[in-house]
């Protein structure tokens, strides 16, 4: 048999972040340790019933069994446009400025193919969701990392980007509310971002997957609300986190028409759109009763308060976030992300994610996902209390 060699683009992939943790988790499980996994950002609660019921109904209609339209059903795109109108008082054109995605990860991975030529620079947050970097590399682009530092409230510092890099940059990914740091950006920041992007002619892509997870009377602004945002970029959105629909694979992009069109051209040649029954369920999510979203916010806020108290008792430095379902904790001196994660797992059975897995600036931090019920978090806290750092 001849040797099968993977393409270079696959050979540059970093080792899978969770593989080592998974191995240790299995070891602990085999020893009979009860594992409490706060590692993965996947909502633990089911999709709300009214959305499931809409899917059940839609799937029985054979009209949905055919190939969908490439850019998403008109009704879905209109529901998205109306959502922007109601939530953010923004007026978007459902035909030119909105495109359905098979989950936002799909859009993030594909968009560099539309705009990045081999060798082009793409500005990427560090720490950050790994797909920004991987999508860029797959297109032959060169990632340039923008460190997100605690002293800058985990926002990129545009003045620290060398002018020659900014001039070469074709695109920039940002992600607010942010995974993994749980930081949010203000409209003032988005305004600064628009000005920077205009000056250097950079396409801006804000990943807003966590925009609806906010607490304590705070409400996240949208990048698209900043004056001029529609000239420089798009927002990438998802139903995954807002409606506990990670498995369903549905999201959208909204913003500058040429950017939307470029991504649509790539997708037309790769996929055939989102199953229409899922789009109909997505319309139900967006137009239906939003009580489920309000309840989800209260639930994550309660979970957040339980876990933060325990982490602070242990000596970790954690700000109380008003967005996302993550806690981003700074470790005491003497600990690395990796050795803390291992110690926590081996001595308490609690799984967190090492911050350096999201990029070099994540070193010295760990991320906890609030994706377990409150009683499990209380159990985690009671075990963490016995830990000696
Ligand atoms: C969860 C998540 C998404 C959502 O991904 P989908 O593909 O829409 O399920 C996007 N971006 C970030 C940063 C996330 O954490």
């Amino acid at each position: 048999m001849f040797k099968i060699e993977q393409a270079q683009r696959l050979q540059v992939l970093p080792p899978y972040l969770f593989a080592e943790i998974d191995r240790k988790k299995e070891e602990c499980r085999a020893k009979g340790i009860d594992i409490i996994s706060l590692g993965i950002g996947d909502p633990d609660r089911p999709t709300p019933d009214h959305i499931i019921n809409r899917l059940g109904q839609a799937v029985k209609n054979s009209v949905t069994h055919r190939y969908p339209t490439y850019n998403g059903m008109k009704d879905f795109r209109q529901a998205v446009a109306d959502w922007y109108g109601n939530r953010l008082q923004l007026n978007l054109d459902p035909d030119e400025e909105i495109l359905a995605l098979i989950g936002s990860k799909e859009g993030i991975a594909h968009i560099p193919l539309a705009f990045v030529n081999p060798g082009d620079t793409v500005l990427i947050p560090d720490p950050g969701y790994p797909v920004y970097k991987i999508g860029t590399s797959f297109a032959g682009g060169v990632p340039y990392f923008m460190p997100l530092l605690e002293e800058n409230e985990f926002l990129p510092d545009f003045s620290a980007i060398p002018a020659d890099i900014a001039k070469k940059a074709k695109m920039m990914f940002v992600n607010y509310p942010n995974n993994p740091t749980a930081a949010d950006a203000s409209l003032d920041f988005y305004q600064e971002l628009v000005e920077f992007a205009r000056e250097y002619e950079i396409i801006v892509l804000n990943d807003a997957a966590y925009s609806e997870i906010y607490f304590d009377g705070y409400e996240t602004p949208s990048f698209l609300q900043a004056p001029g945002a529609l000239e420089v970029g798009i927002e990438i959105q998802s139903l995954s986190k807002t409606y506990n629909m990670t498995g369903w694979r549905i999201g959208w992009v909204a913003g500058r028409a040429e950017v939307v069109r470029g991504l649509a051209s790539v997708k037309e040649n790769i996929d055939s759109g989102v199953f229409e029954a899922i789009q109909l369920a997505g319309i139900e999510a967006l137009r239906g009763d939003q009580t489920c979203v309000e309840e989800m916010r209260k639930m994550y806020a309660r979970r957040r308060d339980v876990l933060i108290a325990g982490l602070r008792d242990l000596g970790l430095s954690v700000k109380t976030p008003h967005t996302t379902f993550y806690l981003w904790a700074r470790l005491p001196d003497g600990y690395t992300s990796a050795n803390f994660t291992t110690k926590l797992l081996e001595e308490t059975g609690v799984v967190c994610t090492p911050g350096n897995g999201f990029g070099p600036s994540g070193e010295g931090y760990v991320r906890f996902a609030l994706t377990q019920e409150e009683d499990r978090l209380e159990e985690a806290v009671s075990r963490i209390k016995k830990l000696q750092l």
Side-chain angles (χ1 to χ4, degrees):
M1 270 200 302
F2 62 92
K3 186 165 174 239
I4 306 261
E5 235 174 61
Q6 290 190 340
Q8 277 158 7
R9 74 176 64 82
L10 289 186
Q11 291 166 13
V12 302
L13 289 184
Y16 180 50
L17 168 62
F18 298 104
E20 180 67 7
I21 305 171
D22 282 347
R23 198 182 55 75
K24 291 210 179 92
K25 239 164 81 177
E26 281 320 308
E27 266 174 36
C28 290
R29 245 194 215 114
K31 283 188 214 151
I33 298 172
D34 167 42
I35 302 284
I36 303 178
S37 182
L38 308 178
I40 292 175
D42 189 355
D44 54 306
R45 293 273 182 103
T47 306
D49 281 340
H50 64 287
I51 302 172
I52 298 173
N53 292 340
R54 183 69 187 97
L55 175 73
Q57 203 184 35
V59 84
K60 288 187 190 131
N61 182 350
S62 64
V63 170
T64 66
H65 301 175
R66 317 281 306 263
Y67 281 122
T69 51
Y70 287 114
N71 57 346
M73 298 167 79
K74 172 81 180 189
D75 285 352
F76 177 74
R77 286 179 285 110
Q78 187 63 53
V80 170
D82 292 347
W83 182 86
Y84 277 106
N86 295 330
R87 163 74 167 87
L88 298 158
Q89 292 73 54
L90 287 170
N91 189 9
L92 293 174
D93 177 350
D95 295 324
E96 296 289 328
E97 295 176 321
I98 293 169
L99 169 71
L101 297 177
I102 311 172
S104 55
K105 183 179 186 179
E106 180 263 301
I108 295 165
H110 283 147
I111 201 162
L113 293 175
F115 301 104
V116 175
N117 286 315
D120 281 352
T121 298
V122 178
L123 305 174
I124 289 172
D126 157 37
Y129 187 56
V131 190
Y132 312 133
K133 184 179 77 183
I134 290 163
T136 297
S137 304
F138 278 5
V142 180
Y144 178 88
F145 290 112
M146 305 182 291
L148 307 184
L149 305 178
E150 189 158 352
E151 66 253 35
N152 300 328
E153 322 241 324
F154 302 111
L155 298 169
D157 175 3
F158 299 129
S159 68
I161 301 171
D164 63 317
I165 296 287
K167 278 183 201 141
K168 280 197 296 193
K170 186 72 194 278
M171 299 198 325
M172 181 198 303
F173 283 101
V174 284
N175 166 219
Y176 294 100
N178 186 255
N179 173 14
T181 69
D184 196 20
S186 64
L187 264 183
D188 285 346
F189 169 81
Y190 288 137
Q191 193 58 58
E192 208 191 313
L193 172 58
V194 168
E195 278 152 29
F196 181 79
R198 267 184 179 153
E199 181 179 351
Y200 291 103
E201 304 191 346
I202 298 169
I203 302 168
V204 174
L205 319 160
N206 184 40
D207 177 354
Y210 295 93
S211 72
E212 302 316 294
I213 305 181
Y214 50 76
F215 321 113
D216 313 326
Y218 175 84
E219 208 168 285
T220 56
S222 164
F223 159 63
L224 296 182
Q225 286 174 304
L230 281 166
E231 291 168 37
V232 301
I234 58 162
E235 175 171 280
I236 307 167
Q237 261 290 8
S238 174
L239 297 179
S240 285
K241 310 294 162 57
T242 311
Y243 301 101
N244 302 339
M245 291 173 73
T246 50
W248 297 54
R249 313 315 302 136
I250 181 163
W252 71 80
V253 293
R256 179 154 170 183
E258 288 97 323
V259 181
V260 170
R261 214 172 295 140
L263 178 56
S265 301
V266 170
K267 284 171 55 57
E268 276 167 26
N269 289 288
I270 293 180
D271 65 65
S272 299
V274 180
F275 180 24
E276 287 198 346
I278 288 182
Q279 293 189 58
L280 291 165
I283 294 169
E284 176 63 29
L286 292 170
R287 292 202 191 278
D289 189 355
Q290 300 299 305
T291 314
C292 56
V293 185
E294 193 44 51
E295 279 167 3
M296 168 200 70
R297 292 182 189 115
K298 289 187 186 135
M299 173 191 81
Y300 287 133
R302 282 194 304 270
R303 293 177 178 185
R304 172 197 67 179
D305 295 341
V306 168
L307 190 60
I308 275 189
L311 297 179
R312 286 185 183 152
D313 280 350
L314 182 65
L316 272 54
S317 161
V318 202
K319 284 214 183 100
T320 302
H322 48 225
T323 57
T324 79
F325 51 57
Y326 299 113
L327 298 181
W328 183 242
R330 183 153 46 84
L331 301 170
D333 287 345
Y335 282 94
T336 63
S337 301
N339 71 17
F340 178 85
T341 303
T342 303
K343 183 178 167 74
L344 188 70
L345 173 59
E346 287 176 347
E347 295 179 27
T348 70
V350 175
V351 179
C352 65
T353 307
N356 62 324
F358 299 100
S361 299
E363 181 53 81
Y365 292 83
V366 290
R367 189 193 74 178
F368 292 88
L370 301 166
T371 47
Q372 295 279 346
E373 295 293 349
E374 227 173 302
D375 60 336
R376 293 294 281 164
L377 293 174
E378 276 161 7
E379 169 64 22
V381 166
S382 80
R383 292 188 205 168
I384 287 171
K385 271 189 183 145
K386 292 176 203 136
L387 201 64
Q388 295 288 325
L389 288 192

